[in-house]
Amino acid sequence: PQKINYIVPSNFNQLRSTSKTASIHHRKMRSLSFKQFALLAATAAVGTTTTSRSTTTFAFVPSSMVATRTRSARSNNHAIANNILRKSSSFRLQSTVEKRPEAEAEITEEQAGKKSLPKIIQGGMGIRISSWQLAREVARKGGLGVISGTAMDVVFVRTLQDGDPGGHFRRALATFPNQAMVQRALLKYYLPEGKSPHKPYRSLPMWSFQPPRQLEEAAILGNYCEVWLAKHDDDGTPIEGNGKVGINRLTKVAMPTIHSLYGSMLAGVDYVIMGAGIPTKIPGILDALAEGRDCSLSIEVAGASDEDADKYAMNFSPQAFWAETDTPDIAREPLQRPDFLPIVSSTTLAQSLIKRANGAGPTRGINGFVIELNTAGGHNAPPRGWKYEPNSEEPKYGEKDMVEVQKFAKVAKGLPYWFAGSYGRKEKLSEVLEGGGNGVQVGTLFALSDESGMDPSIKQQILSEIASGKHLQVYTDPAASPTGFPFKVLQIDVGNTLAVPEIY
């Protein structure tokens, strides 16, 4: 009961672990389904092996040997194992790895992790501009597709009230581990015919330090659905390719953060990317959620004293949350801990995060960086020495606000990093790769793609303006965002947007 053991037989085309056995430890293995256990077995077995495509039978036998892998290697193998399970029929599993010549040098786990990193990250853009459809297409091509976690609780209940066009959310909800929770949401918000365009949406309560249960559930379910849909084809099978799926959140939009992260982790999110603030507490929260432990996130409250800091925090207990639904076993099931990439604008901030973050390990739970320069779309870090005042002019950036690729490598402590902010061109990608970086993050180009969630009429007008050769103006607005960070606004007279002066 404490050890479940397996062996990969010889008809797996001379797999290197053919004659070896291994055991997988799990604190409550008896609660696993066959599919869950087979995923663990396949993950451990396939890790450092290669063979031609073949069909085999997994046999489970006693053993005293233990196979160990680093978390990064296990993460790489999950895609292989998922693919195996997706093609399985009863106990017959389809191998999808390729044969490696015997003379080839052994690849270290560090090298394997390096090779699996994406060169292109599709930037997170809310609200739902970086939709699951966009993230899925990027992941299919081998990049890191990123969904926006901003306001997914509201997106979730409004989509259900619109009749869930295409049935996508209901397809994802059918895989959620607690169906009673799903049924509550459907009964409360789902309208099969969709609401009348002349009637308002049924709204959610506002977030508070003790959020009502329905709000917690909406945030968890909404983020679960968006990530699950990005990671699966329309028939429910995992997407092909080696791409990963991440979630982007704004640090300043703090109250829904833990619930949003938890919902995305239940769906198997691979990366968490956060900017618009300094996310020092997020690594520790990811560590805790992966292990089913209680966690807390302090909320900055204007005028609060240091003594009151403990009163202003969002607290979440997976055990207590699932105990209320009589499904405590869900909290005991360990989750994949996603890699965490904070968005920074300077080497100083990167160094500070490595020192001050509260995660485990030598880099304190930070697994890489996205360096966003001031020409990036969306939110920008303010210029050095700049402070917002009412009626402030457009912030001015200078040499002190720039970061060089090669210089950042010296402070990255061996962690991977991607540059963003006018890096959506092949020559800029080459510049980063040659300078020691891992790639680029691109937002604006993807915002104009077919799969983005931008209003099609607005998207088409922008594309038409670009095609005509017209020079479009972008304004760095000091007041457009409630986060207090400067925000990019495209100056184009289109639709009912804040780009129109009268509406602004």
Side-chain angles (χ1 to χ4, degrees), residues 78-397:
H78 261 275
I80 300 173
N82 269 312
N83 217 12
I84 290 173
L85 289 171
R86 182 171 60 80
K87 301 177 188 298
S88 68
S89 174
S90 183
F91 284 80
R92 297 186 65 78
L93 305 176
Q94 184 75 27
S95 163
T96 58
V97 290
E98 298 177 356
K99 189 170 184 179
R100 174 177 61 189
E102 289 297 320
E104 184 178 337
E106 193 73 26
I107 297 176
T108 67
E109 290 178 348
E110 182 179 0
Q111 290 170 329
K114 182 85 171 178
K115 284 189 174 183
S116 69
L117 295 172
K119 289 187 175 70
I120 295 177
I121 297 176
Q122 163 250 308
M125 299 167 284
I127 296 173
R128 217 188 194 186
I129 299 299
S130 53
S131 62
W132 65 264
Q133 293 95 331
L134 173 57
R136 185 171 73 174
E137 287 305 309
V138 174
R140 279 173 172 164
K141 301 297 184 184
L144 174 54
V146 180
I147 66 106
S148 170
T150 304
M152 273 309 304
D153 48 357
V154 177
V155 170
F156 173 68
V157 299
R158 289 192 176 192
T159 300
L160 292 181
Q161 291 174 77
D162 285 335
D164 186 23
H168 300 302
F169 269 3
R170 283 169 292 155
R171 181 159 45 86
L173 289 171
T175 69
F176 192 74
N178 185 302
Q179 285 299 299
M181 187 166 146
V182 170
Q183 290 306 312
R184 282 196 295 274
L186 292 176
L187 286 172
K188 192 173 187 67
Y189 298 108
Y190 177 56
L191 301 175
E193 303 300 323
K195 76 168 191 66
S196 166
H198 304 294
K199 291 185 177 180
Y201 287 100
R202 187 173 191 174
S203 61
L204 286 165
M206 295 291 287
W207 281 90
S208 64
F209 289 109
Q210 294 182 331
R213 178 78 187 198
Q214 71 180 95
L215 184 56
E216 292 184 293
E217 293 187 355
I220 290 172
L221 289 172
N223 284 276
Y224 175 89
C225 287
E226 199 79 352
V227 171
W228 190 93
L229 289 167
K231 292 177 72 73
H232 292 80
D233 285 322
D234 289 345
D235 62 1
T237 58
I239 59 173
E240 297 283 353
N242 297 319
K244 305 293 183 181
V245 172
I247 182 173
N248 177 284
R249 283 205 54 79
L250 301 174
T251 305
K252 288 276 190 175
V253 185
M255 283 186 161
T257 292
I258 296 179
H259 297 80
S260 300
L261 293 177
Y262 190 54
S264 69
M265 289 173 67
L266 288 170
V269 73
D270 301 297
Y271 284 83
V272 171
I273 302 175
M274 291 185 65
I278 305 175
T280 55
K281 305 301 182 185
I282 300 303
I285 290 173
L286 296 177
D287 293 342
L289 292 177
E291 298 170 6
R293 295 186 282 110
D294 296 358
C295 53
S296 178
L297 178 62
S298 298
I299 305 297
E300 294 183 20
V301 176
S305 64
D306 293 339
E307 292 77 18
D308 293 334
D310 291 341
K311 294 193 302 186
Y312 302 118
M314 299 299 296
N315 302 300
F316 182 72
S317 170
Q319 292 92 341
F321 181 83
W322 293 117
E324 288 188 30
T325 62
D326 296 324
T327 52
D329 285 350
I330 296 176
R332 301 189 188 109
E333 190 70 32
L335 301 175
Q336 171 185 298
R337 197 276 196 185
D339 284 345
F340 179 59
L341 307 179
I343 297 175
V344 299
S345 59
S346 68
T347 56
T348 303
L349 179 53
Q351 290 172 315
S352 175
L353 281 167
I354 291 177
K355 292 178 181 178
R356 295 170 51 204
N358 66 344
T363 58
R364 300 183 179 273
I366 293 174
N367 305 103
F369 294 98
V370 174
I371 303 94
E372 251 185 34
L373 303 184
N374 60 75
T375 57
H379 291 92
N380 304 130
R384 295 280 185 95
W386 182 84
K387 183 179 179 181
Y388 171 74
E389 299 288 349
N391 303 314
S392 292
E393 296 294 326
E394 183 178 25
K396 304 299 181 184
Y397 293 87

